[in-house]
Amino acid sequence: MTILSKKSAEDYKKQNYSERMARTGRPVSPHVTIYAFPIMALSSITNRITGIALSGIAGGMGLMELTCGSGSVLSLMQDIGTMSTLAPLTKITLGFSFTYHYLGGLRHVYYDKLPDKLTNVNAEQTSYALYATSALISGGLLLL
């Protein structure tokens, strides 16, 4: 353990991290942009993002109904459905978000029910399967 005097502790605090590491010759830790996230981490992040998006959309639709009157969301959906470029993008985005979040929830219930099945290998396999299944189902919903 290194004990610093009061003056050296103040000098130490004035230096930023990069300066201190350059002086010691140690490299600065790699940034997250070069870090390869495991598929399980990406799956967790995707599940959170889809959940937040779906909550925001549901809240926005409710707020729109309250402020713009009854039937305003239906009218908006009909308008989006008539736009040739926006309709497929909206369908695939909402379809993937709903499907991924729903299937991720089912996977969570499965692991809660059978915790011995929760291994790194199984979690990695189900993460890939979750992405693939969600993409296939949302692609199928796009064709409706």
Side-chain angles (χ1 to χ4, degrees):
M1 182 169 117
T2 305
I3 299 175
L4 300 173
S5 68
K6 187 173 185 178
K7 181 170 178 3
S8 63
E10 289 171 3
D11 292 341
Y12 184 79
K13 287 181 183 177
K14 290 178 186 175
Q15 299 172 2
N16 69 26
Y17 178 78
S18 298
E19 289 173 353
R20 289 194 312 261
M21 291 298 108
R23 208 177 58 214
T24 61
R26 287 182 259 163
V28 177
S29 298
H31 195 271
V32 294
T33 56
I34 65 168
Y35 176 73
F37 282 100
I39 189 69
M40 288 90 67
L42 293 173
S43 178
S44 176
I45 292 166
T46 304
N47 195 38
R48 292 165 196 266
I49 289 171
T50 56
I52 290 168
L54 291 170
S55 296
I57 290 167
M61 288 177 14
L63 187 63
M64 187 175 177
E65 280 290 316
L66 288 172
T67 57
C68 298
S70 180
S72 56
V73 172
L74 176 62
S75 176
L76 175 67
M77 293 299 130
Q78 288 171 340
D79 291 343
I80 289 173
T82 60
M83 297 178 194
S84 61
T85 56
L86 194 56
L89 182 64
T90 304
K91 284 172 100 177
I92 196 81
T93 303
L94 288 175
F96 181 81
S97 294
F98 182 78
T99 304
Y100 190 89
H101 197 72
Y102 182 76
L103 294 176
L106 291 179
R107 179 178 67 165
H108 194 289
V109 169
Y110 172 75
Y111 284 144
D112 282 348
K113 194 80 168 159
L114 303 168
D116 56 321
K117 300 287 186 187
L118 181 56
T119 63
N120 286 341
V121 172
N122 193 8
E124 183 176 359
Q125 290 172 346
T126 59
S127 294
Y128 283 118
L130 183 58
Y131 277 113
T133 306
S134 297
L136 287 172
I137 292 173
S138 58
L141 291 173
L142 181 62
L143 300 175
L144 294 178

